[in-house]
Structure formats: C-alpha cells, structure tokens
Amino acid sequence: MHHGKSFESIMSQSTTPDANRQKRIAVSVFFFIAGFTFSSWASRIPHIQAKLGLNEAELGGVLLALPCGLFLSSLISGSVVTRLGSKNVLRLAAIAYSCMLVTLGLANHTALLVVALFFFGMAGNMFNVSVNTQAVGVERLYGRSILASFHGIWSLAGFSGASVGTVLITLGLLPWQHFIVISIVGITLSSFFVSNLIEKSTSQKASSGFKLPDKKILQLGFIAFGCLVCEGTMFDWSGVYFKKVVQVSPGLTALGYAAFMGCMATGRFLADKIVMHIGARKLLQTAGYIITTGLLVSVIFPNIIMATIGFMLVGFGVSSVVPIVYSHAGQSKTMEPGKAIAAVGTIGFTGFLSGPPLIGFVAEATNLRWSFALIALIGLSTSFLARTLPAKK
C-alpha cells in the first residue's frame, strides 16, 4: 500500500532518541502556538461583541464564518499536506494563522470581522491537519501512545492564552494590540523550531485523487464532532455564560473558561497512561458521560461554585477524545495519515466551530441555559458512538 510505505519513509529518516526528542519538542511548540493563538481570540470575544454591538444571534451568525472557512480549506488540506509535506504546510499555516489573528483585532465593522474569521478558519484548519500529521508521525517513532500529551500542550497554551489575555485586558490593551503581541510570539517560536519537524516524504504520488472516508473514519469523525461541539461552546460562550447567567463580577467572567482549560490540560497529560490501561472505547464512553454531567450541573445550578465545578468536569471529559480519534485515524489502512486526519478533523471541527453559532441562535430564541442543556445532549453522543470501537487500542 503506497501510503504506508511513504509514511514509513518519513519515520526512517532519524530514529535516535535525541532526534526523536527534538522532533517531539518541536511539534509540542507548534501545538502551543495553536492553542495560544486561538485562546487569545476566544478571550476577546465578549469585548469584540460589545465593541460591535452584537446580540447573541448576531454573534452566532458572525461566528459561522469560521466553519465556512474550515470547510473550504478542508476540501484541499489533506491532499496539500500529503503532497507538500506537513512540515512545509505547517510553516506557512503558522504565519498565516498569526497574521489573521491581528486582522481580527483590527476589524472595526461586522463585515470585516466575518471576512477575517473566514480566513482565520482556513488557516486554522491547515494548521490543525499539518500539526496532527506531525504528531502521529512522532507517536510512531516512539512506538507508544503520546498523542494526548501534544493536545495537553495545546490546552495548557489555551490556559496560558486566557491568563495572558486577562492581564492585557487589565492593562487596557485594545484587541489589535493584544493580538500583535501574541502573533509576534507565535511567529518567533515557529521560526526557531520549524527545522526540527519531520521532513516530508519523498513520495509524491501516494494515492492521488479524492477518496471518500470509510466507515471507521466517519465514526471517528462523528465521535469528535459530539465532543468538539461542547469544547467549542466552552471556548466561545463560557465567558458570556458566567457574565449573563452566573452573573459574576466583570473580573470573574473568565473563571469558567480558566477552570475548563486547566482541567482539560490536566486530563490530556493523564490520558495516554489511562488509555493504555482501560482502552480507547471505555475511555471515550466515560468521557461522554462526564461532559454531559458537567454541562447539566452548570445549567441546573447556575451559581459560581457549581458552574465552575461543572465546567471543570467538561474539561476533564473532552480532554481525551480528540487525541484518541486522531491517533486511530493516523493508523488508517485505507488513507494516508494526512488525509485521514483531515477527514476526521473536518467533521470534528465542524462541531467545534458550528456549536457556538448554534448556541447563539438557541439562546436568542430561549435563553443560554436551554442552549447549554441542548449541547449537553450532543456531548452524550460521544458515549454511544464509541460503543463499537475495539475494546483496546
């Protein structure tokens, strides 16, 4: 099978422990850039909403630009990564992602924000597919489950981005000034570590052309979808929920987001060991129940203590899902790793990016508590869809 051979040729370039460690560090840095950049945007959503005078439904409509950009990018991302190599694509995507973040901060009109979000979504999808292809490659070099630790770095970066955002907001920096600082950090880090990434395969003809995902890839994608609807909700609406439903003071609006991100990061650093003991299926099923419980706790008891505990549970619940499905996709016997990850990522991140607009529309028609209850039911789908996966990875 051509794709297996071409990917193995990547693996054979350097397999010494020191070289493998350098590759792992480099990929970790790019995961950090991705999480730091996206959480910086998320930390400013309430401020940008207020600046442009958007209600919940209007904000939901604006946020739809992200999945639209993702969809357009997803049509080509798997093939581009396979042909050009994930290293080359990641190099360009990191720069584009940082530049589009600054554009989001500069947008002073709703239409400009929509356009910026569209291209932010495109760059983010290219970044996601290429960095996870790199991560699967490093996992193969190590010969054991380590993918969750990369996603733990992403979550830790998200927590760091939210914390830095809080500090810069307190200092009075405007969104565009905040985003310039973050972009300089991202571009500088990527320029230092890009040389240590896995080189692209010498094979250029591996399985060219479009191929529909098989049943397993679709299943993995929909498992990711159910989880990422909930994760996207936490990113875009946690601050608004704490402000309008929990009714905390302005200085505590980011508390729920910070609690969620901290627990998601912790869960991801533990997930690799847990999945080796109990298997992917059991861990995914448990994750769905924890996600749903956490969201329902925050809906039924919308006070600062219980809502924070609920958001912590959601963080633990979502922590292991995406790393597990990406790891399984990267081992596909029918598609190259880049294309398989792109297919799963496209379905999954459609949930990540379409969940927040759904929240906006439902909240405008009813209220935020009802919309969070709906998301809780979607999170439960992770448990049911995982029932037919192999008991052990």
Side-chain angles (χ1 to χ4, degrees), residues 132 139 147-149 151-152 268 271-272 318-328 393:
N132 276 284
E139 185 177 64
L147 202 66
S149 67
H151 289 259
R268 284 180 166 172
D272 286 321
V318 303
S319 63
S320 59
V321 177
V322 171
I324 289 174
V325 297
Y326 277 172
S327 181
H328 276 264
K393 180 179 172 181

Side-chain angles (χ1 to χ4, degrees), residues 344-372:
V344 170
T346 298
I347 299 171
F349 272 84
T350 299
F352 184 81
L353 299 171
S354 62
L358 174 63
I359 282 278
F361 298 138
V362 175
E364 189 68 19
T366 56
N367 57 55
L368 268 176
R369 290 176 73 184
W370 276 109
S371 58
F372 267 60

